[in-house]
Amino acid sequence: MQPSVRFWGVRGSYPSPLPANARYGGNTSCVEVALGGERFVFDAGTGLRMLGQRLVDEEPDRPIHLLISHTHWDHVQGLPFFKPLYTKGSRVNLYTLSRHRVNLREVFAGLWSEPLFPVPFSELAADLRIQDVDAPGAFSIGQVKVRTARLNHPYLAVGYRLDCGGHSVAYITDTAPFSQILLDEGAVIDKPDLSQPLPEATREALAAMERRVLELAQGVDLLIYDTQFTDEEYQQRPHWGHSTPGIGLSIAQRAKAGALALFHHSPERSDEALDAQVAELKERAGKDGPEILCAAEGMEVGLP
């Protein structure tokens, strides 16, 4: 099993299977990583359904490690349709950010509850183990080192980095920039005034969060980064917790990442509009910058 990354879902917010975006795809966040003899999956959006079918057909006995960034709909809505969960003998380890106020198993079981879904959670046949993680934090799965960092997103999200045998990939999606607004667990911000100066404690918290994100991306072979908004869209909705291609490039350059994959595309962004974003970003990156990729369903990237 060669070290590689494959994209199964690349959209944010909601699925958008439209003719105008058929080339990049309309499924929500799901990325498969083969590394260190293990099978990892970043997030469980609608792209997870197709991946699950393939895993049951080709690798029914290999454990699956699901690394969930957070539990907003577009990152978990594929779970009730993930075939390995209904297959006896499958082993699924699900990791997500530790919460003090909620029971994680109850959160995920709720996806199968009436009247949302006809199959009860109790009918899952797989050996499902739900494990919480800290951010920042580090742990190991087999030979693979997993590191985490907290992201700037409403009700909290976590970014991941995988390292093994000189190969590395970082998955950092659903995060606002680290300059104008701090999003926190339970925070509800209505039309924030970005012209107002930030309190010193907020600036320090944002700077610490950015340092940890840069550490997560430092020298990584492939950085998968949230670029859902244009600059204008971010100014209109900074409290939604998403970033821009320019911010993604800045993080990749500062961290000296080998390649940057634009990810979590707006469901309203057409293939042509994404092509234009990539062309502009490549020009900004120049010859000495990271390789610029635009995540597309079915795209497979080898880790050098």
Side-chain angles (χ1 to χ4, degrees):
M1 188 166 61
Q2 295 297 314
S4 63
V5 175
R6 184 170 181 179
F7 294 93
W8 292 87
V10 299
R11 295 283 166 180
S13 299
Y14 52 85
S16 55
L18 303 171
N21 63 23
R23 183 156 40 89
Y24 285 103
N27 280 295
T28 56
S29 304
C30 182
V31 181
E32 176 191 11
V33 180
L35 188 61
E38 304 286 351
R39 183 71 63 190
F40 297 92
V41 181
F42 291 128
D43 275 333
T46 56
L48 187 70
R49 183 187 64 82
M50 295 179 293
L51 171 58
Q53 180 66 59
R54 201 209 74 193
L55 293 177
V56 167
D57 291 343
E58 299 179 9
E59 298 183 286
D61 298 325
R62 187 182 297 279
I64 303 164
H65 305 288
L66 270 173
L67 304 175
I68 305 295
S69 63
H70 62 306
T71 56
H72 285 164
W73 269 118
D74 49 333
H75 296 262
V76 298
Q77 60 198 155
L79 275 173
F81 307 96
F82 190 43
K83 193 170 182 179
L85 290 176
Y86 302 93
T87 305
K88 190 172 183 179
S90 291
R91 290 172 290 167
V92 180
N93 300 309
L94 191 155
Y95 302 82
T96 194
L97 190 63
S98 175
R99 302 280 181 149
H100 298 296
R101 297 187 301 176
V102 297
N103 181 292
L104 288 174
R105 194 169 189 86
E106 291 179 0
V107 170
F108 288 108
L111 298 173
W112 280 263
S113 63
E114 293 183 346
L116 299 177
F117 200 72
V119 180
F121 186 69
S122 59
E123 288 193 15
L124 299 187
D127 178 8
L128 173 62
R129 302 182 184 185
I130 299 174
Q131 305 180 50
D132 53 4
V133 302
D134 294 320
F139 56 98
S140 294
I141 297 176
Q143 301 177 53
V144 180
K145 182 177 182 180
V146 184
R147 284 186 276 168
T148 65
R150 186 195 142 185
L151 305 179
N152 194 14
H153 194 66
Y155 304 100
L156 307 186
V158 59
Y160 294 95
R161 174 179 176 139
L162 305 178
D163 282 278
C164 183
H167 306 291
S168 55
V169 57
Y171 179 79
I172 302 173
T173 190
D174 287 54
T175 185
F178 308 98
S179 56
Q180 295 177 302
I181 186 171
L182 176 64
L183 301 166
D184 206 340
E185 185 173 14
V188 177
I189 301 174
D190 184 25
K191 296 181 181 179
D193 187 352
L194 299 183
S195 67
Q196 295 299 312
L198 292 172
E200 182 177 356
T202 301
R203 292 198 305 272
E204 291 176 352
L206 283 168
M209 189 185 299
E210 184 178 49
R211 282 196 303 272
R212 294 184 181 113
V213 165
L214 286 168
E215 289 170 0
L216 213 63
Q218 189 66 40
V220 76
D221 294 328
L222 176 64
L223 170 61
I224 303 167
Y225 204 86
D226 172 11
T227 56
Q228 176 162 339
F229 285 160
T230 63
D231 292 338
E232 294 76 15
E233 289 166 347
Y234 169 71
Q235 292 298 319
Q236 295 167 6
R237 298 182 283 273
H239 52 303
W240 283 17
H242 293 291
S243 196
T244 69
I247 295 296
L249 176 59
S250 174
I251 294 291
Q253 289 174 323
R254 293 164 65 190
K256 295 181 170 57
L260 167 67
L262 311 189
F263 185 73
H264 206 272
H265 312 314
S266 167
E268 300 174 358
R269 196 86 64 229
S270 69
D271 290 339
E272 290 185 358
L274 286 173
D275 288 341
Q277 282 189 338
V278 173
E280 179 185 355
L281 211 62
K282 285 183 176 180
E283 185 175 350
R284 290 175 59 179
K287 295 180 180 180
D288 298 327
E291 180 183 3
I292 306 297
L293 309 172
C294 191
E297 287 182 30
M299 175 189 288
E300 188 165 355
V301 182
L303 297 177

